[in-house]
C-alpha cells in the first residue's frame, strides 16, 4: 500500500472501532491491547488479550483486529498475538498508556 506510514495512534484509533461483544466496550478502552509495534516495512504487530483465557470471542477479536489494521494506508500486514501475561482484570480498562 502507498501513503504515509501509520502511527501507533492510527492503529489504536482503528482498534477502537472493535467492541468486545460480551462487554460492549472497545478493545482499546477496555485495556485489551497491550502493545503496538510498526516495522519499517509496514508490518504492524499487536499484542492483545481477552477478558478471560478461554473467551469464546478470542478468534473473532483477533481476526477483527487484523482485518481492521490491514485497512490502514501503508500497512503491508497485521500480526495479532493473543497473550495472557499479564492476565486482564477490570482495573486495566482505560489505563493502558501508549
Amino acid at each position: 500500500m502507498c501513503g504515509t506510514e501509520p502511527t501507533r495512534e492510527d492503529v489504536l484509533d482503528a482498534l477502537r472501532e472493535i467492541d468486545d461483544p460480551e462487554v460492549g466496550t472497545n478493545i482499546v478502552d477496555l485495556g485489551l491491547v497491550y502493545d503496538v509495534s510498526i516495522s519499517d516495512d509496514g508490518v504492524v504487530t499487536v499484542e492483545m488479550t481477552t477478558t478471560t483465557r478461554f473467551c469464546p470471542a478470542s478468534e473473532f477479536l483477533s481476526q477483527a483486529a487484523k482485518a481492521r489494521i490491514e485497512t490502514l494506508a501503508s500497512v503491508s500486514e497485521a500480526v495479532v498475538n493473543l497473550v495472557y501475561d499479564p492476565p486482564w482484570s477490570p482495573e486495566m480498562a482505560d489505563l493502558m498508556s501508549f
Side-chain angles (χ1 to χ4, degrees), residues 27-87:
I27 63 175
V28 174
D29 292 343
L30 195 53
L32 299 180
V33 179
Y34 288 170
D35 190 37
V36 173
S37 62
I38 304 166
S39 70
D40 291 337
D41 59 352
V43 176
V44 175
T45 303
V46 171
E47 287 194 357
M48 63 176 286
T49 194
T50 55
T51 55
T52 61
R53 187 169 191 78
F54 300 105
C55 174
S58 297
E59 185 69 21
F60 163 77
L61 291 172
S62 64
Q63 290 301 316
K66 178 178 174 53
R68 183 62 190 96
I69 294 165
E70 288 179 345
T71 67
L72 295 173
S74 299
V75 171
S76 60
E77 179 184 7
V79 177
V80 177
N81 298 315
L82 287 177
V83 297
Y84 296 97
D85 187 29

Side-chain angles (χ1 to χ4, degrees), residues 16-29:
R16 281 187 180 94
E17 296 177 13
I18 302 168
D19 286 342
D20 182 294
E22 295 177 318
V23 181
T25 301
N26 76 71
I27 63 175
V28 174
D29 292 343

